[in-house]
Amino acid sequence: MKTHIYSAAGIAALMGLLPGAAAHAASGNASTATGAAAGKVIKPIVLTHTAGAALSFGTFDPGTGGKVIVTTSGAGSVTKAVTFVPGISVTSADQFTLTGGKKQNFSITTTGGAVTNGVNSMAFTTSPSSTSGSTSTTGTFSFTVGGKLTVAGGETGGHYTGSYTATVAYN
């Protein structure tokens, strides 16, 4: 059996009881802690116009004026003296799809515009089927755009074309 002999001075030194070996408390003027940092990267939001889709105000007689209204489901109606040409007037809403991060909230805005045949011009406003949304679990969302065309009356016959802008942005 081994016997260990410890001196009182050695034990006191180990415990910090001897002068010169005393423990000191930290200064009260400074303190340090570790913080946390985080970030989340999501896929960029990308808006795509559906090929072949268009906001179509159909075929109509302008009469003395009024409006052509196309709902976001594509149904058309007219006001005042504007009349659809029976049997050949087809209206449709425009279509878009966006892709981005999964389950991300976003807003939708659309501008108005004008359709022209080179001589005459008719202004229109647009309205999306939704002004906000959230992407699916696959990161997609689709919406349509309807509008109101203002017809002054007496416009020259012909094919009128124009454009407008749709914008989506993460919230």
Side-chain angles (χ1 to χ4, degrees):
M1 166 185 313
K2 272 187 167 176
T3 305
H4 295 282
I5 301 174
Y6 298 98
S7 72
I11 292 173
L14 288 173
M15 296 178 61
L17 297 177
L18 290 178
H24 297 284
S27 167
N29 294 330
S31 180
T32 302
T34 301
K40 180 179 180 181
V41 176
I42 59 173
K43 291 173 66 174
I45 193 167
V46 176
L47 183 61
T48 305
H49 183 254
T50 302
L55 173 56
S56 175
F57 293 104
T59 303
F60 57 90
D61 179 343
T64 57
K67 293 196 185 299
V68 177
I69 302 160
V70 177
T71 66
T72 57
S73 64
S77 62
V78 292
T79 67
K80 299 187 179 179
V82 177
T83 56
F84 282 127
V85 176
I88 63 170
S89 185
V90 177
T91 59
S92 64
D94 208 354
Q95 299 175 3
F96 294 87
T97 299
L98 69 91
T99 57
K102 297 175 183 178
K103 296 184 178 182
Q104 296 297 308
N105 295 328
F106 58 89
S107 62
I108 301 170
T109 57
T110 57
T111 64
V115 291
T116 182
N117 71 350
V119 177
N120 292 309
S121 180
M122 294 179 279
F124 66 89
T125 59
T126 62
S127 57
S129 56
S130 180
T131 57
S132 63
S134 182
T135 55
S136 67
T137 56
T138 60
T140 61
F141 185 88
S142 296
F143 65 95
T144 58
V145 176
K148 285 184 187 178
L149 178 70
T150 301
V151 181
E155 282 84 1
T156 304
H159 189 73
Y160 287 68
T161 59
S163 62
Y164 67 96
T165 303
T167 303
V168 294
Y170 285 132
N171 293 339

